[in-house]
Amino acid sequence: MMAYMLRRVAYALPILIGVNLITFALFFVVNSPDDMARMQLGDKRVTEEAIDTWKAEHGYDQPLFINAQAGGLGVLTQTIFFQKSLKLFAFDFGASDSGRDIGNDIAQRMWPSLAIAVPVLLLGLALNISYALMIIFFRATYVDVGSVVLLVAMMSISSLFYIIGGQFLIGKLLHLVPISGYDTGFEAIKFLILPVIVSVIAGIGTGTRLYRTFFLEEINRDYVRTARAKGLPERVVLFRHVLRNALIPILTGVVAVLPLLFMGALITESFFGVPGLGSYTIDAISRQDFAIVRAMVFLGSVLYILGLILTDISYTLVDPRVRLS
Amino acid sequence: MSLSLGLSGCGDGAWNNPYPASEARAKTVYSAFTEQPKHLDPVRAYSSNEYAFIGQVYEPPLQYHFLKRPYTLVPLTSTAMPEVRYFDAEGAPLPDSAPADQIALSEYRIRLRPGIHYQPHPALARDATGASYLYHHLTPADLRGIEDLGDFAQQGTRELIAEDYVYQIKRLAAPWLHSPIAGLMKKHLLDFAELSERLAEAAPAPVDGVRPFVDLRTVPFRGAEVLDRYSYRIHIKGRYPQFQYWLAMLFFSPMPWEAEAFYAQPGLSERNITLDWYPLGTGAFMLSENNPNLRMVLERNPHFHGETYPSEGMAQDRAAGLLEDAGQPLPLIDKAIYALEKESIPYWNKFLQGYYDSSGIASDAFDQAIQFSAAGDAELTEPLREQGIRLATAVNTSIWYMGFNMLDPILGGDSERARLLRRAITIAVDFGEYISIFANGRALQAQGMIPPGIFGYQEGRAGLNPYIFDWHQGRAERKSIAAARALLAEAGYPDGRDPDTGRPLTLYYEAMDAGPDGKARLNWMRKQFNKLGIELVVRATDYNRFQDKMREGTGQIFMWGWNADYPDPENFFFLLYGPNAKVDGGENAFNYRNPDFDRLFERMRVMDDGPERQALIDAMTEILRRDGPVAFGFFPKAYSLYHQWVGNVKPNLMANNTLKYRRLDPQQRAEQRVAWNPPVLWPLGLLVLLLLLGALPAWQMARRRERSRAL
Amino acid sequence: MLVVLWTDALIFVLIAVVLGFAFHATRHPHLRVPWQQVGRSRVAAGALVVLSVYVAIGLLDSVHFHPRLEAQTPAVGEASQETPTYSTQVISLLDLWLQPLREQEEKTFSAPFATHLFVKEAMEQPDGSVIRAYPRLEHGGAHLTDPARDRAPDILLSTLLGLVQGLIAWTGFLLMVLGLSAWRARESFAQRVLQLRQEPTQAAWRVAVWTLLVMLVLGFIAAELAVKYHILGTDKVGEDVFYQSLKSIRTGLVIGTLTTLVMLPAAVILGIMAGYFRGLTDDIIQYLYTTLNSIPGVLLIAAAILMLQVYMANHGDEFNSLVERADLRLLFLCIILGVTSWTGLCRLLRGESLKLREADYVQAAIALGVRHSRLIARHILPNVLHIVMITLVLDFSGLVLAEAVLSYVNIGVDPTMNSWGNMINSARLELARDPIVWWSLAAAFGFMFTLVLAANLLADVVRDAFDPRLRGTA
């Protein structure tokens, strides 16, 4: 187990380097350091001189990947890429281009993201599983057919409609919760209700349909037939056998996305004015703050790889036949 | 879910109140910011969303009078307006009437009011003896448990002195602070460029990204000198009458050296405790909570120097109730909370629900808010009037225009052909329609560069642009498309066809429009050119790329705006001054260069307001109208809405410290909020009922199924 | 003068591929049988009819040309008469067909079937006074003398007319198809009709026929009404929303299909190679897709779109019309969406090839020394085709929906292009108006929902038919 973990971590390194390379290449093709400097210095009365000092100050005055002028190892190390990447691997994100400390901001904005993502995940899971179970219970009746049509219809609606509609209905017409905003502590609850409800509803279509297929797969297995032949009531068959076995693919799927919960939901957060990591990333892209984008991409890939590892481990836990190798 | 609903539902407030119920009756103004301010250091801040905060905190020597129009400068921390004296090249004093070309040096003397104190701040905290500063030698151990500025136990204050102002002017020259006006000040302030160089050499290198404290007090500087504890003088090269406006801008506010010494200590910047985030000033408010991810809070400065509400204003101000608070000590409110609100729709809805005190009007909410009376005046719609909302309007000191790149081979240049082509296009692009579609009539069609309220603006027939408009029944009326087509034919493009190819002339429009309205705007622009038979290709891109094109001078047609720094015609005409061309690094995006215009501009800018200056401005405007490098677009009007509980509202587009005049009736606000936001519950009940009804047959079926299986 | 845009060309390539594949499928039972199963499904039949209407409109909109200009006013030309001059504008067959809709523009918003503008305007009265009122539309209902009285009867009449036309067209079409099939099957016409009406195996056909009736009737009614009114209203600058919705169909279809087409070669080749060769090849390919996968997709897309803008800014002269610029951006969007979405398919194919490689017949072929390329083409590729197909169909609706979200973040299609995403994006502000402007949003919603719903329903049937694990369960 230990050896496996070590190997996975070692395997993650080249991936992270690759991710970093791509981020750098993409970002610098579109955004020269000059652009970044102008963005930060504002657009009234900016001189070339000011731009040069800004670049020097923020370490953007070196070549991107290869420094032909430097000698020896300096060819690789005295470059923007090397200088800026090295610290990332120590999770030292440094200051954003506008001067704020990124690590500090991430630590602060992580909580609102989690406050939305975790309830959405749990509620969504509970709702989708119970709905899917119900459909299975009533399979081949009008409930089944009607539900499947409903689910497909729900899937076919753009997530934007859910958000716009939810805000309009619950917030504006019914005056039940604040339309947008956020606060710390328990005050946050009233702000979370709307985005959580909207996100859960938006996820029903895809989620329930997926779980329904998982259940369908199980229900045609031999052991289920045997159980039924023994005369067990349908309820017991569903809960004791079908649900328990179908939970394996469901939960392993959930494990894979667990780490990514930190990253937050991009659109939901910016629509509801929640200061989470999702809106942080969107803002950074639109403000072209490369330091933040780089940090978020790095963090995202680390979490993604973590998700992969967790999935592998969870497989061994539920199915002892699978060995980590 | 129902539990949490119940939790937030109890108490006396409305369910959808985004603020804690305990704060409902405090004298707190609620507002919002859409974008994180980037810089709160007065050396760097240069945009309105930053000024909204630090304008309340920092105090330059002068300010704009809250009520008087046209905009008038009055002393803020100084005892009187600065004394200006002129000297020739030998240093001999000159009379005020001396011609501008003889003046080699101007001296501004400013005397401060004694007894003004800074806000409480740890940087100014002293130990028990008062001999040394408590927090100027922080060790890592001292910083344990410090998360933001409020975590420092002790705070102190001290009196404002002339040295603080001089200190800040020196900071403007410091190359590592990147002041946006450093380039401009090099031209005008004596010794400024040299100071900048001296500082670049003398300054120590940053350690771990933090630059060690450089005590600028010891650096000599002839441009700004301390005369005594309360007075200082500034030396300007030649004559530069616009300088007094700069003295009302935050770049020239005081900065105590202690602030820099404090913030430069290692360990603070990684906690985001920097001068760029935590201002330290003498103003009516201080920034007590600074969380750009969530909210910014301004709180009354306990040491504020007892400024009172102005007792004189314009004639109609008394009737409008704007003078009722005359003589009251400022500020009139205790606190202002700015929440982060990125989308305009939630903001507007929360305003209508009473959770924001004031609001601009997004173009799309306009019909909901404003209607025009039969006489064409804007007034509020019935539902809003019932809510007791009031409207304040003012013409912005800014202009939107469509520009032509004069370096372009087709559109640019001094030839008669190009001039006619530009004129035909200018007639065709109907900004009147643009205003009615995209700004709901909230703008004034421009006839020249200078907006109303600024010296040089001509009203009515005298201000008509005769090349584009006709005077018809007491109104300016845009010339017809037929006239434009005739001009186009004269220019050699009959029906908009290029004579060489016989195909329609293709022109390029550099667009930076990407918002939700972008598509409509671009389509509208294409329709305008289609009227002439010209094919307009829109090159939509982002703002960076747009600026690149402007700098390289490769664009063709573009739309851009300018927001005045100060109310002087020079600040508009310099956009067309030849040596300022964008390709040479200036602000003249048209790359327009007309020697006659440039000569007139050089005379006009050093002149005091008067008939002679007006004549020059008229002559310059005529040149611009004839050459047509710019299609004067429109001067936007600012419409803002205020709830009934907000008082002392008069839009002042130059002053950025108006929060201190604001009055508030929190009692009324709390009552209205509850009255306007009754929770509507029956749809929820209906939903539950429907679910139950749907579940009933399913339940029966389940029973039946269970029984049949069991058999 | 014909213009072939990049996406046009690719669409025709796609059609060729689909036809080729169809031909291939008819000759291979393992592909033919599931498709026949799809064809027997009633849901699929209905969905297919709806989809083909969309595709037909999309195809009409994919043939572009420069319209010819009428000869210039006599003042200039003696020599220019011989060679015809063409406009610099690029329009499509659909534009030509919808000419009235395209050109009947109003000043600003007007509601569906409105005869007056949605906002008040200052109007000069004959006596010189100025009042603010709702002016009559220039085109919508302009033929009515008294809109308040004449509008309802006029709309009713046009609807009836459209209904009758639709019925006639439907009957004609049906007669033709039935006659043709009767002739081919050498049966009598009456027999054929009876079969269609009664035989259970023909249930799918019945659904298709009825769906067709609905589509035809709706189409003819819309055609009757659209020339007289703005049946879905007009937008902020007075463009017909119905026209915009129809034009958006192509954008949606292109994003949904070309994206898959673009990523297909890479996903198939790399996926199979990774599974088949294993070892170092596998490692490299896995590294490649894990790396790409771990970068948030939004960022990749944003960067690619910005990159394109830089390119176009530097090569401004190469894109002389708006349509070409917008088209290139659309293509770029497809490519970059492909880059972010090929990894899923690639991983599936890798797993499947790993399994297939161990199959006896493949092992035998390897032992016999068959060349790798031949082996892959003969034994591996045909056996993973069903996975490719399922992914293709399943991805389609997701991509159409993604376009809307991307436009919201401003990294979608060109802002001047007609697309549902752009319509929804502008509708955000319209919703805050009072009285509310709902028709743009509703139109985009309706058109998009229909397409995605049809695609999802079809995808369900296709997956059930091809996925061996699920065959016969649902």
Side-chain angles (χ1 to χ4, degrees):
Chain A
M1 187 75 177
M2 225 25 233
Y4 167 80
M5 294 290 284
L6 277 178
R7 227 152 36 79
R8 283 308 292 250
V9 172
Y11 185 59
L13 268 179
I15 291 181
L16 290 177
I17 294 174
V19 166
N20 244 322
L21 263 172
I22 294 177
T23 326
F24 264 82
L26 279 180
F27 212 91
F28 276 98
V29 169
V30 299
N31 249 332
S32 65
D34 279 37
D35 287 338
M36 281 153 49
R38 279 212 180 81
M39 201 76 189
Q40 294 308 323
L41 294 173
D43 40 60
K44 269 181 169 179
R45 308 178 196 275
V46 180
T47 57
E48 285 303 318
E49 209 182 324
I51 289 172
D52 288 339
T53 34
W54 187 90
K55 283 195 297 190
E57 198 121 294
H58 290 80
Y60 289 117
D61 55 346
Q62 288 167 331
L64 187 51
F65 290 120
I66 290 171
N67 189 346
Q69 269 139 33
L73 264 183
V75 175
L76 287 178
T77 56
Q78 287 180 20
T79 57
I80 301 182
F81 176 70
F82 187 84
Q83 302 282 335
K84 300 263 167 192
S85 301
L86 202 61
K87 283 185 174 169
L88 277 186
F89 284 92
F91 287 92
D92 174 5
F93 298 124
S96 74
D97 290 340
S98 66
R100 277 179 75 85
D101 190 79
I102 297 177
N104 208 319
D105 267 353
I106 290 181
Q108 202 183 51
R109 301 188 72 138
M110 188 174 84
W111 301 110
S113 280
L114 284 179
I116 290 192
V118 171
V120 168
L121 181 80
L122 294 180
L123 274 178
L125 210 56
L127 192 67
N128 291 343
I129 288 180
S130 21
Y131 191 18
L133 263 184
M134 195 187 90
I135 297 177
I136 292 298
F137 186 78
F138 291 113
R139 66 184 170 283
T141 66
Y142 79 96
V143 179
D144 187 11
V145 178
S147 295
V148 170
V149 172
L150 181 74
L151 291 177
V152 175
M154 286 183 82
M155 270 176 68
S156 310
I157 297 173
S158 167
S159 57
L160 289 177
F161 284 106
Y162 287 108
I163 298 177
I164 296 174
Q167 244 178 13
F168 188 75
L169 187 74
I170 303 183
K172 193 176 174 189
L173 293 186
L174 304 187
H175 301 301
L176 293 180
V177 288
I179 291 174
S180 69
Y182 196 73
D183 208 339
T184 43
F186 277 109
E187 290 288 335
I189 292 175
K190 64 184 175 197
F191 293 101
L192 291 176
I193 294 172
L194 190 54
V196 167
I197 290 182
V198 166
S199 310
V200 167
I201 291 180
I204 288 181
T206 358
T208 307
R209 222 166 70 111
L210 182 69
Y211 296 163
R212 175 178 162 270
T213 50
F214 285 156
F215 289 142
L216 272 182
E217 234 170 88
E218 286 306 317
I219 211 155
N220 289 304
R221 299 259 162 121
D222 291 339
Y223 70 92
V224 177
R225 291 208 190 114
T226 320
R228 224 180 264 149
K230 277 197 304 192
L232 284 181
E234 184 71 8
R235 209 161 8 101
V236 180
V237 175
L238 274 185
F239 279 97
R240 194 174 295 167
H241 298 286
V242 176
L243 177 62
R244 194 182 286 179
N245 282 296
L247 270 182
I248 295 171
I250 293 177
L251 289 184
T252 44
V254 168
V255 165
V257 300
L258 269 185
L260 289 173
L261 291 184
F262 284 92
M263 300 294 287
L266 301 175
I267 306 278
T268 315
E269 282 182 12
S270 47
F271 241 103
F272 288 101
V274 176
L277 287 179
S279 50
Y280 191 54
T281 317
I282 289 263
D283 284 358
I285 292 177
S286 61
R287 280 193 323 210
Q288 315 202 334
D289 195 320
F290 180 46
I292 297 178
V293 173
R294 193 177 55 220
M296 290 310 292
V297 171
F298 182 80
L299 196 65
S301 5
V302 169
L303 292 173
Y304 175 81
I305 293 167
L306 192 68
L308 291 183
I309 299 177
L310 283 180
T311 319
D312 283 358
I313 295 175
S314 61
Y315 270 125
T316 58
L317 293 185
V318 292
D319 189 349
R321 282 171 305 176
V322 180
R323 281 270 177 76
L324 294 176
S325 59
Chain B
M1 194 70 19
S2 62
L3 179 76
S4 55
L5 267 179
L7 274 179
S8 60
C10 57
D12 60 342
W15 286 21
N16 58 355
N17 187 353
Y19 314 115
S22 55
E23 288 173 13
R25 276 151 223 274
K27 272 198 173 180
T28 306
V29 163
Y30 291 101
S31 188
F33 60 105
T34 50
E35 212 186 317
Q36 288 192 4
K38 283 186 201 152
H39 305 290
L40 297 180
D41 185 338
V43 149
R44 294 194 63 177
Y46 202 6
S47 71
S48 55
N49 67 335
E50 293 155 358
Y51 280 178
F53 299 110
I54 59 172
Q56 326 302 331
V57 176
Y58 287 107
E59 292 188 309
L62 306 179
Q63 67 177 341
Y64 288 93
H65 193 280
F66 179 47
L67 300 172
K68 282 186 190 162
R69 300 289 181 280
Y71 296 112
T72 316
L73 286 173
V74 292
L76 176 58
T77 58
S78 57
T79 52
M81 293 298 287
E83 283 172 45
V84 189
R85 286 192 288 174
Y86 302 109
F87 300 93
D88 65 11
E90 276 75 50
L94 288 170
D96 286 0
S97 56
D101 50 358
Q102 283 184 19
I103 298 173
L105 194 73
S106 321
E107 184 191 89
Y108 285 71
R109 272 177 190 256
I110 297 152
R111 186 164 177 79
L112 302 176
R113 282 193 286 147
I116 296 175
H117 278 80
Y118 282 101
Q119 66 176 76
H121 195 281
L124 301 174
R126 290 166 184 268
D127 59 11
T129 63
S132 65
Y133 289 99
L134 261 179
Y135 299 121
H136 281 209
H137 305 282
L138 294 171
T139 59
D142 295 335
L143 284 174
R144 218 163 288 137
I146 301 277
E147 284 302 320
D148 59 57
L149 200 63
D151 294 333
F152 287 98
Q154 299 292 321
Q155 296 180 321
T157 184
R158 82 159 163 78
E159 196 185 14
L160 171 75
I161 53 173
E163 188 173 60
D164 301 335
Y165 282 97
V166 173
Y167 194 88
Q168 165 77 357
I169 298 173
K170 290 178 184 168
R171 290 184 77 224
L172 292 175
W176 59 87
L177 288 171
H178 307 294
S179 179
I181 62 162
L184 186 77
M185 286 303 137
K186 275 178 193 165
K187 281 191 228 155
H188 294 298
L189 268 176
L190 186 71
D191 200 26
F192 192 86
E194 295 79 3
L195 174 68
S196 201
E197 277 161 31
R198 287 201 294 276
L199 289 176
E201 282 164 27
V207 182
D208 276 342
V210 181
R211 193 172 286 274
F213 173 56
V214 186
D215 193 345
L216 298 176
R217 287 178 301 172
T218 58
V219 183
F221 176 43
R222 284 187 296 133
E225 288 161 328
V226 177
L227 295 172
D228 58 49
R229 186 172 165 89
Y230 298 115
S231 48
Y232 65 104
R233 67 169 175 216
I234 296 172
H235 282 136
I236 299 290
K237 291 189 251 183
R239 188 175 142 88
Y240 182 42
Q242 286 82 27
F243 185 69
Q244 56 166 340
Y245 297 119
W246 285 105
L247 286 177
M249 291 181 74
L250 292 166
F251 294 109
F252 288 87
S253 45
M255 183 57 68
W257 66 270
E258 291 94 334
E260 279 214 318
F262 171 77
Y263 285 117
Q265 299 175 83
L268 287 180
S269 73
E270 63 222 41
R271 291 173 170 78
N272 286 332
I273 302 179
T274 65
L275 189 49
D276 221 9
W277 284 106
Y278 288 98
L280 164 49
T282 56
F285 295 93
M286 53 189 193
L287 195 65
S288 62
E289 186 181 339
N290 182 349
N291 182 350
N293 301 326
L294 189 56
R295 68 170 158 240
M296 314 275 275
V297 179
L298 287 172
E299 238 171 304
R300 172 197 281 272
N301 170 9
H303 302 314
F304 189 56
H305 48 78
E307 188 187 354
T308 55
Y309 194 87
S311 52
E312 48 184 301
M314 307 303 285
Q316 65 273 27
D317 290 344
R318 188 165 301 280
L322 285 169
L323 285 169
E324 275 169 27
D325 286 316
Q328 297 275 345
L330 297 177
L332 300 174
I333 54 163
D334 295 329
K335 209 176 182 185
I337 296 182
Y338 295 81
L340 179 66
E341 190 83 73
K342 275 191 239 150
E343 298 278 333
S344 64
I345 295 174
Y347 184 94
W348 173 247
N349 287 332
K350 276 161 129 178
F351 169 71
L352 288 183
Q353 293 175 346
Y355 297 121
Y356 287 122
D357 297 318
S358 55
S359 169
I361 312 171
S363 156
D364 282 275
F366 192 80
D367 289 342
Q368 187 177 359
I370 307 286
Q371 63 191 19
F372 287 91
S373 66
D377 297 325
E379 55 185 44
L380 287 171
T381 50
E382 195 54 35
L384 265 78
R385 249 180 302 173
E386 271 168 27
Q387 272 190 293
I389 292 170
R390 283 166 305 140
L391 169 74
T393 63
V395 180
N396 278 342
T397 49
S398 55
I399 180 172
W400 277 92
Y401 52 80
M402 189 176 80
F404 304 101
N405 179 10
M406 296 300 278
L407 299 179
D408 186 77
I410 298 172
L411 281 168
D414 196 29
S415 67
E416 192 60 22
R417 176 199 59 79
R419 203 170 287 144
L420 289 173
L421 176 59
R422 289 196 295 265
R423 200 172 294 156
I425 293 174
T426 309
I427 294 175
V429 178
D430 184 355
F431 275 106
E433 189 180 285
Y434 185 95
I435 294 168
S436 86
I437 294 181
F438 296 105
N440 309 94
R442 281 177 298 166
L444 212 64
Q445 280 204 66
Q447 307 278 345
M449 239 4 225
I450 300 179
I454 288 181
F455 182 81
Y457 173 74
Q458 294 270 34
E459 219 172 336
R461 183 152 202 181
L464 186 82
N465 180 355
Y467 294 97
I468 309 298
F469 292 89
D470 288 322
W471 192 255
H472 176 73
Q473 289 186 347
R475 271 185 304 152
E477 203 161 82
R478 192 170 283 269
K479 287 185 195 288
S480 67
I481 285 298
R485 282 174 165 269
L487 287 175
L488 199 61
E490 206 183 320
Y493 304 98
D495 293 333
R497 305 271 181 95
D498 189 336
D500 298 336
T501 59
R503 304 177 75 176
L505 183 62
T506 304
L507 295 178
Y508 297 91
Y509 179 69
E510 314 301 332
M512 49 173 165
D513 226 335
D517 239 6
K519 182 173 185 282
R521 274 182 223 269
L522 299 180
N523 280 344
W524 180 85
M525 198 48 102
R526 282 168 54 211
K527 270 166 81 174
Q528 306 306 306
F529 282 76
N530 261 337
K531 290 194 266 185
L532 294 177
I534 298 177
E535 168 89 5
L536 186 73
V537 175
V538 178
R539 293 174 175 162
T541 179
D542 64 335
Y543 193 53
N544 265 350
R545 224 57 55 203
F546 174 77
Q547 282 185 305
D548 272 350
K549 276 192 193 155
M550 291 296 113
R551 265 196 308 280
E552 289 158 15
T554 53
Q556 219 171 32
I557 305 172
F558 54 91
M559 210 167 135
W560 217 350
W562 177 256
N563 203 351
D565 291 316
Y566 42 79
D568 192 273
E570 181 264 349
N571 203 238
F572 287 91
F573 280 126
F574 92 110
L575 292 174
L576 289 140
Y577 179 51
N580 257 344
K582 198 92 188 174
V583 283
D584 304 330
E587 292 288 347
N588 177 353
F590 318 91
N591 299 308
Y592 175 64
R593 190 183 290 267
N594 181 327
D596 294 334
F597 180 86
D598 292 350
R599 219 169 17 247
L600 293 175
F601 176 76
E602 281 153 23
R603 279 176 60 202
M604 184 276 291
R605 79 172 152 191
V606 293
M607 219 175 248
D608 288 321
D609 291 352
E612 202 188 337
R613 200 175 195 212
Q614 181 70 51
L616 282 182
I617 289 172
D618 291 346
M620 290 167 76
T621 304
E622 168 61 22
I623 294 178
L624 289 183
R625 286 173 179 165
R626 185 171 44 80
D627 277 354
V630 47
F632 312 110
F634 52 91
F635 308 119
K637 286 184 200 164
Y639 277 40
S640 31
L641 299 176
Y642 296 89
H643 279 299
Q644 47 191 321
W645 52 79
V646 181
N648 295 340
V649 172
K650 178 165 180 177
N652 186 325
L653 299 157
M654 280 295 142
N656 44 36
N657 57 358
T658 53
L659 187 64
K660 59 187 174 188
Y661 305 110
R662 187 69 52 88
R663 193 184 44 199
L664 199 70
D665 181 352
Q667 183 68 31
Q668 191 188 20
R669 175 170 69 187
E671 285 160 14
Q672 296 290 10
R673 279 181 182 169
V674 176
W676 288 343
N677 297 294
V680 183
L681 283 175
W682 61 264
L684 284 190
L686 195 69
L687 191 72
V688 172
L689 201 71
L690 274 179
L691 278 180
L692 281 180
L693 281 180
L696 217 63
W699 173 249
Q700 272 184 341
M701 199 158 61
R703 293 269 309 267
R704 217 170 331 129
R705 192 172 267 219
E706 202 82 315
R707 224 172 292 140
S708 68
R709 286 273 158 76
L711 283 177
Chain C
M1 199 162 65
L2 205 66
V3 178
V4 181
L5 300 175
W6 272 101
T7 48
D8 291 345
L10 283 172
I11 285 174
F12 292 115
V13 169
L14 180 71
I15 291 175
V17 170
V18 169
L19 287 180
F21 178 76
F23 182 68
H24 175 83
T26 49
R27 301 184 9 170
H28 292 81
H30 76 283
L31 292 170
R32 191 177 64 223
V33 173
W35 274 116
Q36 281 169 340
Q37 191 188 332
V38 171
R40 276 196 300 274
S41 151
R42 276 175 295 174
V43 177
L48 269 175
V49 171
V50 175
L51 282 178
S52 22
V53 171
Y54 271 84
V55 169
I57 295 175
L59 282 181
L60 270 184
D61 205 7
S62 299
V63 182
H64 289 95
F65 56 92
H66 289 300
R68 191 169 165 168
L69 288 174
E70 67 274 26
Q72 237 170 4
T73 35
V76 192
E78 312 100 46
S80 66
Q81 293 301 347
E82 295 130 38
T83 48
T85 47
Y86 294 99
S87 167
T88 40
Q89 233 184 356
V90 177
I91 65 170
S92 70
L93 280 183
L94 186 75
D95 290 320
L96 201 65
W97 187 38
L98 301 177
Q99 187 103 347
L101 265 69
R102 186 162 57 104
E103 288 175 353
Q104 290 178 2
E105 291 182 347
E106 307 295 341
K107 192 171 168 196
T108 181
F109 289 120
S110 69
F113 292 109
T115 53
H116 289 79
L117 216 53
F118 190 65
V119 289
K120 282 186 183 167
E121 255 185 22
M123 288 196 294
E124 206 167 318
Q125 295 300 100
D127 60 1
S129 66
V130 175
I131 58 158
R132 293 193 70 85
Y134 300 106
R136 272 295 285 273
L137 293 182
E138 273 175 54
H139 304 285
H143 60 292
L144 305 173
T145 42
D146 178 9
R149 192 194 57 205
D150 300 340
R151 193 176 63 156
D154 186 58
I155 292 176
L156 195 69
L157 199 70
S158 305
T159 312
L160 281 176
L161 199 63
L163 186 75
V164 171
Q165 286 173 344
L167 276 172
I168 293 172
W170 178 68
T171 323
F173 183 78
L174 209 60
L175 287 179
M176 205 173 71
V177 171
L178 281 179
L180 212 65
S181 74
W183 177 73
R184 271 188 57 184
R186 294 170 206 291
E187 292 172 75
S188 81
F189 187 74
Q191 257 178 322
R192 215 41 229 155
V193 175
L194 207 68
Q195 257 182 10
L196 181 71
R197 283 186 52 188
Q198 285 173 349
E199 252 183 62
T201 50
Q202 302 280 328
W205 281 107
R206 282 199 290 277
V207 174
V209 163
W210 289 121
T211 320
L212 186 69
L213 174 68
V214 172
M215 301 302 286
L216 276 176
V217 166
L218 282 181
F220 273 96
I221 292 177
E224 270 301 313
L225 288 170
V227 288
K228 297 182 191 163
Y229 299 93
H230 299 289
I231 55 172
L232 293 176
T234 54
D235 76 345
K236 193 160 191 167
V237 289
E239 280 192 12
D240 192 285
V241 173
F242 184 51
Y243 170 72
Q244 290 183 339
S245 313
L246 288 178
K247 286 288 282 179
S248 304
I249 288 178
R250 177 175 184 267
T251 314
L253 290 178
V254 165
I255 293 219
T257 53
L258 282 197
T259 302
T260 336
L261 180 77
V262 168
M263 64 125 173
L264 210 54
V268 171
I269 294 173
L270 292 180
I272 293 181
M273 271 171 62
Y276 178 78
F277 291 111
R278 297 187 295 194
L280 187 63
T281 323
D282 189 18
D283 285 341
I284 293 174
I285 292 170
Q286 273 201 67
Y287 170 74
L288 197 67
Y289 71 63
T290 319
T291 308
L292 270 180
N293 234 6
S294 36
I295 301 177
V298 179
L299 183 95
L300 265 182
I301 295 166
I305 292 296
L306 283 173
M307 229 150 81
L308 181 72
Q309 284 181 354
V310 176
Y311 178 79
M312 290 212 279
N314 296 339
H315 300 78
D317 308 331
E318 290 168 28
F319 309 101
N320 282 321
S321 77
L322 204 65
V323 177
E324 283 167 43
R325 291 175 64 88
D327 183 70
L328 198 71
R329 178 150 170 182
L330 180 63
L331 180 65
F332 228 74
L333 194 66
C334 289
I335 293 176
I336 199 68
L337 277 171
V339 169
T340 54
S341 66
W342 68 280
T343 50
L345 179 59
C346 189
R347 187 179 326 181
L348 279 178
L349 290 179
R350 172 178 169 270
E352 195 66 21
S353 322
L354 268 178
K355 248 186 279 169
L356 282 175
R357 194 182 191 280
E358 301 305 318
D360 294 339
Y361 62 96
V362 177
Q363 289 296 329
I366 293 176
L368 284 174
V370 180
R371 283 217 321 274
H372 290 312
S373 53
R374 193 176 156 77
L375 209 150
I376 289 177
R378 292 300 295 263
H379 295 297
I380 311 266
L381 187 61
N383 287 308
V384 296
L385 268 187
H386 68 280
I387 296 185
V388 175
M389 206 136 47
I390 294 173
T391 324
L392 223 137
V393 183
L394 280 180
D395 279 357
F396 175 81
S397 46
L399 287 166
V400 175
L401 291 176
E403 188 265 327
V405 177
L406 290 179
S407 293
Y408 169 78
V409 212
N410 277 329
I411 48 176
V413 297
D414 194 85
T416 55
M417 188 165 216
N418 284 308
S419 85
W420 293 314
N422 276 339
M423 285 170 77
I424 296 170
N425 196 18
S426 1
R428 271 196 301 154
L429 296 179
E430 294 166 5
L431 277 185
R433 286 184 91 105
D434 193 34
I436 196 170
V437 173
W438 49 269
W439 46 89
S440 277
L441 189 72
F445 177 80
F447 273 84
M448 198 160 136
F449 181 71
T450 315
L451 175 63
V452 176
L453 186 64
N456 271 335
L457 291 174
L458 182 68
D460 257 13
V461 180
V462 170
R463 195 190 44 189
D464 289 350
F466 278 94
D467 197 332
R469 287 181 305 167
L470 285 175
R471 201 170 286 170
T473 52

